[in-house]
Amino acid sequence: MPAPSPLRRIRLEQARVRIEHRAALATLIERLFLRRSFLYLTPADQQWQRPELVQLLRRHSRLYQTISTPFEGPLPFALGYFRVGENELEPIAEAIPVEDPEQLAWLLSEFLEPGARLWVELDEGWQGWQIDGEGQLRSLSEVPER
């Protein structure tokens, strides 16, 4: 059984959710939150749940379709640790399990307006990405202000 993703501190800035993607993002967040125990399931249970989760993600994300097949793909459970507030995406915890922070930022680029920033604290320090458009990220090297 794979190990759970490491917990990493995160920050979001100017994370306004695109109105036309609000419902899809809320659905993904809810479903991934409810299935966050996936890695603790037996391999047999994971085997039948993985395709269900991949198909859910593929239905709601064009970007995810490009990195997955109908039955296989990365499972970005980190999405389940956010909530759609009134106008912005907000983390529900200071630290969340993130396997691939850049991929998370890339997936969020479909749902967030340009200008949003995601910061993740890695072992070597804070790394950030600015969303310039759908599927378009710019790496940020400046450390976020507290």
Side-chain angles (χ1 to χ4, degrees), residues 22 37 47 61 133 143:
R22 182 179 300 249
S37 61
Q47 187 174 0
S61 171
V143 177

Side-chain angles (χ1 to χ4, degrees), residues 61-97:
S61 171
R62 289 187 312 272
L63 288 181
Y64 187 79
Q65 290 172 21
T66 68
I67 60 170
S68 64
T69 69
F71 302 107
E72 283 294 323
L75 296 176
F77 287 108
L79 282 175
Y81 290 85
F82 293 93
R83 71 174 160 239
V84 177
E86 192 169 314
N87 294 314
E88 292 194 348
L89 185 66
E90 307 165 341
I92 61 170
E94 184 176 320
I96 65 172

Side-chain angles (χ1 to χ4, degrees), residues 11-18 21 25 63 79 82 89 101-119 127-140:
R11 290 191 50 208
L12 280 171
E13 297 170 353
Q14 302 173 23
R16 289 180 302 278
V17 178
R18 296 177 195 213
H21 293 297
L25 181 58
L63 288 181
L79 282 175
F82 293 93
L89 185 66
E102 186 172 9
Q103 184 180 77
L104 175 63
W106 182 75
L107 287 170
L108 285 173
S109 74
E110 181 174 350
F111 301 99
L112 300 179
E113 292 181 6
R117 293 179 174 194
L118 172 71
W119 292 94
Q127 175 64 51
W129 296 270
Q130 179 169 311
I131 294 171
D132 290 336
E134 187 174 307
Q136 300 172 345
L137 297 179
R138 182 171 10 127
S139 184
L140 301 171

